[in-house]
Amino acid sequence: MSEALKPVVLDHPLVRHKLTRLRDRDTSTAGFRRLTRELSLLLAYEATRNLTTCPKTVHVQSGLMEGEELDGKKLCFVSILRAGNGLLDGMLDLVPSARVGHIGLRRDHETLEVSEYYFNMPGDVPGRTCIVLDPMLATGHSAAAAITRVKAAGAQNPVFACLLAAPEGIRYMAELHPDVQVVTCAVDDRLDENGYIVPGLGDAGDRLFGTR
């Protein structure tokens, strides 16, 4: 097995500021959604860093110049339902032409194992860079299962983007998918006995959709 890629952690004052506000249990549902969208936009910049470009000649006021544009069929964002949809909006703000896939996974709260209940991907996945989205990389079971399915659909070099990651989840992902780059806003201390990230930010899905 090849050496696992090290996670990319966004080290920026705006990220730290917005993430602190996001963690605050007194932040409203509307505020949580807005902050998640803003952070996902910042995540998108880093998650798309390795996209390839090709030359593009354009007309400017002084004549012609050669610039660059994205090469190939570009991107596919893959949301792990339901909380992944909170990151999706910000990503699409940055790349509105991207295709979108969805993966529905359930986690057993006792065994922490996951099972799939929904899978829908664009037909041209092999020609696109897939960025898999979920706010949390906790145990890593859901993320790794989603990556496995995306690879089976033809994705060559998927990326996993999340707001928070736990060391346990990073290790699990590295064991199963050492070739996958994890991009996150922060790596927290640990998981608690229920598999939640500490200090974390609570249940991201409940806070996004007001079901807490």
Side-chain angles (χ1 to χ4, degrees), residues 35-85:
L35 289 162
T36 298
R37 189 173 189 138
E38 292 170 354
L39 283 167
S40 69
L41 189 63
L42 297 170
L43 275 170
Y45 280 107
E46 192 59 47
T48 57
R49 179 175 293 276
N50 293 325
L51 292 179
T52 58
T53 61
C54 59
K56 170 71 174 180
T57 301
V58 294
H59 291 270
V60 297
Q61 286 187 339
S62 58
L64 295 175
M65 72 156 285
E66 188 170 281
E68 298 177 56
E69 66 178 1
L70 292 178
D71 192 16
K73 292 183 179 179
K74 305 174 185 175
L75 286 172
C76 176
F77 297 126
V78 184
S79 171
I80 300 180
L81 299 174
R82 63 181 169 152
N85 284 354

Side-chain angles (χ1 to χ4, degrees), residues 118-132:
Y118 185 77
F119 184 78
N120 193 335
M121 294 287 290
D124 57 353
V125 166
R128 295 179 180 272
T129 297
C130 288
I131 300 178
V132 180

Side-chain angles (χ1 to χ4, degrees), residues 6 13 16 28 65 102 115 129 143 148 164 168 178 184 194 198 200 206 210:
K6 293 182 179 180
R16 295 194 294 271
S28 67
M65 72 156 285
H102 293 91
S115 59
T129 297
T148 297
L164 291 180
E168 295 91 334
T184 185
N194 297 311
V198 177
D206 284 345

